[in-house]
């Protein structure tokens, strides 16, 4: 008997770096195909999935600022990177027979936003995966924050962040192999310890709306389904 899903409607935030594999830049098509298969397996079990993809694999405003460039201009370029990533993922989903629709990730404070939200929810209920494309272009309201807002608006059971590591650590485990790994944390722990789960605005949005944040490795085979079934390796924040 298949174990039931603990979290059924989820918003999955994928870092742009998660699409790189072992590359130092760009997109690894094989990695994107594996991620699409992970999402397809979850949908086959009845999960309703929305996805927001970052653009750090192609263009990072932070990196531009570090070299003396204009951070805001860099973030606008990052918006284009998120669109490229989103279209690539949507195409990979369609190749594994999962209907995928690309909508805007950027919230618009108008009647159009309410309509867009209702349409996205209806598609998800019908089994389509919604890929929200486009970063915010605002260095103070990142793709993480935009994804958290979408998770709240869509009344998701959980806000998932798929990364290259299997949870939250006290330090970067690539730098310190002895870093402590956490199974669970409070929202306040993440903020106070500056654990780099995602930006503070995103964590605060999740906290204020009681949406658990789950950090896991999207690269581990079967990881998405195992998280939804509460059988895998991950860190849960706030549950």
């Amino acid at each position: 008997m298949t174990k039931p899903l603990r979290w059924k409607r989820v918003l999955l935030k994928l870092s742009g770096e998660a699409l790189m594999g072992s590359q130092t830049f760009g997109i690894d098509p094989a990695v994107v195909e594996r991620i699409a298969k992970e999402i397809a397996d979850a949908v086959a079990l009845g999960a309703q999935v929305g996805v927001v993809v970052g653009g750090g694999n192609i263009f990072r405003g932070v990196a531009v600022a570090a070299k003396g460039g204009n951070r805001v201009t860099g973030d606008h370029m990052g918006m284009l990177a998120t669109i490229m990533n989103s279209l690539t993922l949507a195409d990979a989903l369609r190749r594994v027979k999962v209907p995928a629709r690309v909508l805007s990730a950027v919230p618009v404070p108008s009647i159009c936003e309410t309509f867009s939200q209702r349409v996205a929810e209806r598609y998800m209920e019908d089994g389509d995966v919604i890929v929200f494309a486009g970063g915010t272009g605002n260095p103070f309201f990142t793709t993480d924050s935009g994804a958290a807002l979408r998770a709240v608006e869509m009344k998701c059971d959980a806000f998932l962040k798929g990364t290259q590591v299997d949870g939250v650590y006290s330090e970067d485990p690539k730098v310190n192999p002895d870093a402590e790994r956490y199974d669970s944390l409070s929202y306040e722990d993440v903020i106070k310890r500056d654990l780099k789960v995602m930006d503070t605005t995103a964590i605060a949005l999740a906290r204020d709306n009681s949406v658990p944040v789950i950090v896991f490795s999207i690269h581990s085979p079967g990881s998405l389904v195992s998280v939804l079934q509460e059988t895998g390796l991950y860190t849960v924040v706030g549950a």
Side-chain angles (χ1 to χ4, degrees):
M1 179 181 294
T2 302
K3 184 178 174 65
L5 303 181
R6 166 66 175 82
W7 294 284
K8 185 174 181 181
R9 176 179 287 189
V10 296
L11 195 292
L12 171 62
K13 164 62 186 359
L14 294 173
S15 63
E17 290 84 351
L19 307 183
M20 292 168 56
S22 59
Q23 299 183 170
T24 57
F25 180 81
I27 298 171
D28 184 335
V31 169
V32 177
E33 288 173 9
R34 287 202 303 272
I35 292 173
K37 181 63 166 58
E38 291 285 324
I39 296 172
D41 290 344
V43 171
L45 292 176
Q48 297 175 12
V49 183
V51 186
V52 172
V53 189
N57 56 319
I58 299 175
F59 208 99
R60 303 191 68 165
V62 173
V64 172
K67 295 184 181 301
N70 184 297
R71 168 71 191 268
V72 175
T73 300
D75 277 297
H76 284 144
M77 293 299 293
M79 290 176 66
L80 297 178
T82 66
I83 292 170
M84 293 167 62
N85 289 338
S86 297
L87 292 173
T88 301
L89 178 61
D91 184 58
L93 284 164
R94 295 183 188 114
R95 287 201 300 273
V96 292
K97 310 302 181 185
V98 175
R101 297 176 183 267
V102 180
L103 300 179
S104 173
V106 183
V108 182
S110 68
I111 191 171
C112 295
E113 176 60 21
T114 305
F115 174 75
S116 177
Q117 178 185 329
R118 290 201 309 269
V119 168
E121 290 176 343
R122 192 172 303 120
Y123 285 147
M124 287 169 66
E125 289 163 1
D126 289 341
D128 293 11
V129 171
I130 305 302
V131 183
F132 292 107
T136 65
N138 183 340
F140 304 104
F141 192 78
T142 66
T143 310
D144 279 348
S145 300
L149 185 59
R150 284 294 180 197
V152 169
E153 289 178 339
M154 310 273 290
K155 300 178 177 62
C156 289
D157 301 326
F159 176 26
L160 279 55
K161 183 162 184 178
T163 68
Q164 299 183 50
V165 294
D166 57 2
V168 180
Y169 287 77
S170 58
E171 301 175 57
D172 185 343
K174 295 179 181 177
V175 176
N176 180 8
D178 296 323
E180 180 184 1
R181 183 186 168 281
Y182 304 105
D183 289 325
S184 62
L185 292 161
S186 70
Y187 301 112
E188 285 70 25
D189 282 339
V190 170
I191 294 171
K192 289 177 182 176
R193 299 182 195 179
D194 192 24
L195 291 173
K196 310 298 184 186
V197 173
M198 54 183 63
D199 66 74
T200 302
T201 300
I203 291 293
L205 278 167
R207 177 196 63 199
D208 294 347
N209 292 276
S210 301
V211 178
V213 178
I214 300 170
V215 182
F216 71 107
S217 171
I218 193 64
H219 291 300
S220 300
S223 59
L224 179 55
V225 167
S226 68
V227 166
L228 300 183
Q229 293 177 329
E230 292 187 293
T231 60
L233 268 181
Y234 55 86
T235 300
V236 60
V237 178

